[in-house]
Amino acid sequence: MQELRSGGSPLRPRLVFTTSERLDEETRTALAAAFAAPIRDLYGATEAGCIGWRCPRCDAYHVNSDTVLVEVLRKGAPSRPGDPGEVVVTNLFSRTMPFVRYALGDLAVLGFPCPDAPGCVTLHSLQGRSFGPRVGVDGSALSPYRFMPDEIEGIAAEA
């Protein structure tokens, strides 16, 4: 990783795509600097394929409505735009093993349409899986995405 942080990568892509876990701003900035290229983050899940992609203009995730129906629910009811909730998906492409209203465990905010794509559903504040933070020895909350808890001394498993 030191080579990436110093900008010493021999690769010179025009665009870098990231997928899988939530991409935090620190990592996004480091990748953009290391590769001297814009970063495009894709949001997806095995059960639903590519759910959406982060728009460089509005900074929201545009939902791939051609292949997945996305709902954001709060206490089982649809949340309003701007309110956080749990992401529930229905894939529209799998005939042999469809996932209907499958709760991914991700938290997000249903967004307002992007000015560049007025009919597009958007997601904001994508939080990744909803399992809780870890607690440091000083009592501070630490995201479970930053490390593996059993590898760092002084981390309690429960908040």
Side-chain angles (χ1 to χ4, degrees):
M1 190 67 173
Q2 181 60 37
E3 185 176 312
L4 284 179
R5 289 184 185 179
S6 66
S9 174
L11 301 175
R12 296 289 174 229
R14 289 182 286 154
L15 190 63
V16 175
F17 287 93
T18 60
T19 61
S20 192
E21 297 294 343
R22 188 176 67 86
L23 183 64
D24 60 45
E25 289 307 315
E26 180 183 345
T27 304
R28 177 188 308 282
T29 301
L31 288 171
F35 290 110
I39 305 298
R40 296 293 180 262
D41 191 30
L42 303 177
Y43 170 48
T46 301
E47 303 86 357
C50 181
I51 296 169
W53 55 92
R54 190 170 180 180
C55 175
R57 295 194 36 137
C58 75
D59 211 32
Y61 287 84
H62 288 213
V63 173
N64 188 9
S65 299
D66 291 342
T67 62
V68 66
L69 171 66
V70 174
E71 299 173 83
V72 178
L73 304 179
R74 187 174 197 152
K75 296 181 181 176
S79 66
R80 295 177 296 169
D83 289 342
E86 184 176 15
V87 177
V88 175
V89 297
T90 298
N91 72 30
L92 303 175
F93 58 84
S94 179
R95 293 181 182 185
T96 56
M97 184 60 177
F99 286 88
V100 178
R101 301 197 82 205
Y102 184 79
L104 291 174
D106 291 349
L107 302 176
V109 173
L110 185 63
F112 297 95
C114 174
D116 290 339
C120 183
V121 175
T122 62
L123 296 174
H124 296 263
S125 303
L126 197 56
Q127 297 297 310
R129 301 299 182 252
S130 59
F131 50 85
R134 303 298 184 227
V135 179
V137 290
D138 64 353
S140 63
L142 302 169
S143 169
Y145 294 103
R146 303 286 293 168
F147 52 83
M148 295 302 295
D150 57 347
E151 296 176 3
I152 298 182
E153 190 173 315
I155 302 296
E158 297 292 326

